[in-house]
Short mmCIF file of all heavy atoms in Angstrom, two decimals:
data_model
loop_
_atom_site.label_atom_id
_atom_site.label_comp_id
_atom_site.label_asym_id
_atom_site.label_seq_id
_atom_site.Cartn_x
_atom_site.Cartn_y
_atom_site.Cartn_z
N LEU E 983 0.03 2.74 -24.39
CA LEU E 983 0.03 1.41 -23.80
C LEU E 983 -1.38 0.84 -23.71
O LEU E 983 -1.59 -0.35 -23.97
CB LEU E 983 0.68 1.46 -22.42
CG LEU E 983 0.74 0.17 -21.62
CD1 LEU E 983 1.43 -0.94 -22.41
CD2 LEU E 983 1.45 0.40 -20.29
N ARG E 984 -2.35 1.68 -23.36
CA ARG E 984 -3.73 1.19 -23.29
C ARG E 984 -4.17 0.65 -24.64
O ARG E 984 -4.80 -0.42 -24.73
CB ARG E 984 -4.64 2.32 -22.85
CG ARG E 984 -6.12 1.99 -22.73
CD ARG E 984 -6.42 1.20 -21.46
NE ARG E 984 -6.28 -0.23 -21.63
CZ ARG E 984 -6.17 -1.09 -20.61
NH1 ARG E 984 -6.15 -0.65 -19.37
NH2 ARG E 984 -6.07 -2.38 -20.83
N GLY E 985 -3.85 1.35 -25.70
CA GLY E 985 -4.19 0.87 -27.03
C GLY E 985 -3.51 -0.44 -27.36
O GLY E 985 -4.12 -1.35 -27.95
N LEU E 986 -2.24 -0.57 -26.98
CA LEU E 986 -1.51 -1.81 -27.24
C LEU E 986 -2.11 -2.98 -26.46
O LEU E 986 -2.26 -4.09 -27.00
CB LEU E 986 -0.03 -1.62 -26.86
CG LEU E 986 0.80 -0.71 -27.76
CD1 LEU E 986 2.16 -0.42 -27.13
CD2 LEU E 986 0.99 -1.35 -29.15
N LEU E 987 -2.42 -2.75 -25.22
CA LEU E 987 -3.03 -3.81 -24.41
C LEU E 987 -4.36 -4.24 -25.01
O LEU E 987 -4.63 -5.45 -25.17
CB LEU E 987 -3.22 -3.32 -22.97
CG LEU E 987 -1.95 -3.10 -22.14
CD1 LEU E 987 -2.27 -2.35 -20.86
CD2 LEU E 987 -1.27 -4.43 -21.81
N ASN E 988 -5.18 -3.28 -25.35
CA ASN E 988 -6.51 -3.60 -25.89
C ASN E 988 -6.42 -4.38 -27.19
O ASN E 988 -7.17 -5.33 -27.43
CB ASN E 988 -7.32 -2.33 -26.09
CG ASN E 988 -7.68 -1.64 -24.79
OD1 ASN E 988 -7.46 -2.18 -23.71
ND2 ASN E 988 -8.22 -0.43 -24.89
N SER E 989 -5.50 -3.97 -28.07
CA SER E 989 -5.39 -4.62 -29.38
C SER E 989 -4.70 -5.97 -29.31
O SER E 989 -4.70 -6.71 -30.30
CB SER E 989 -4.65 -3.71 -30.35
OG SER E 989 -3.32 -3.48 -29.91
N ASN E 990 -4.15 -6.31 -28.15
CA ASN E 990 -3.50 -7.61 -27.98
C ASN E 990 -4.25 -8.51 -27.00
O ASN E 990 -3.66 -9.41 -26.39
CB ASN E 990 -2.06 -7.42 -27.52
CG ASN E 990 -1.13 -7.00 -28.64
OD1 ASN E 990 -0.60 -7.85 -29.36
ND2 ASN E 990 -0.95 -5.68 -28.82
N GLY E 991 -5.55 -8.28 -26.88
CA GLY E 991 -6.38 -9.15 -26.05
C GLY E 991 -6.16 -8.99 -24.56
O GLY E 991 -6.45 -9.92 -23.79
N LEU E 992 -5.67 -7.83 -24.14
CA LEU E 992 -5.36 -7.61 -22.73
C LEU E 992 -6.13 -6.41 -22.17
O LEU E 992 -5.64 -5.68 -21.31
CB LEU E 992 -3.86 -7.40 -22.56
CG LEU E 992 -2.99 -8.61 -22.93
CD1 LEU E 992 -1.52 -8.21 -23.06
CD2 LEU E 992 -3.16 -9.72 -21.89
N SER E 993 -7.35 -6.25 -22.63
CA SER E 993 -8.15 -5.10 -22.19
C SER E 993 -8.52 -5.17 -20.71
O SER E 993 -8.86 -4.16 -20.10
CB SER E 993 -9.42 -4.99 -23.03
OG SER E 993 -10.21 -6.16 -22.92
N SER E 994 -8.46 -6.37 -20.14
CA SER E 994 -8.82 -6.51 -18.72
C SER E 994 -7.72 -6.04 -17.77
O SER E 994 -7.96 -5.87 -16.58
CB SER E 994 -9.16 -7.97 -18.41
OG SER E 994 -8.01 -8.80 -18.58
N VAL E 995 -6.51 -5.85 -18.28
CA VAL E 995 -5.41 -5.41 -17.43
C VAL E 995 -5.64 -3.95 -17.03
O VAL E 995 -5.78 -3.07 -17.87
CB VAL E 995 -4.05 -5.54 -18.16
CG1 VAL E 995 -2.92 -4.99 -17.30
CG2 VAL E 995 -3.79 -7.01 -18.50
#
Side-chain angles (χ1 to χ4, degrees):
L983 179 55
R984 180 76 272 164
L986 290 170
L987 291 168
N988 293 352
S989 62
N990 283 274
L992 296 166
S993 60
S994 65
V995 176

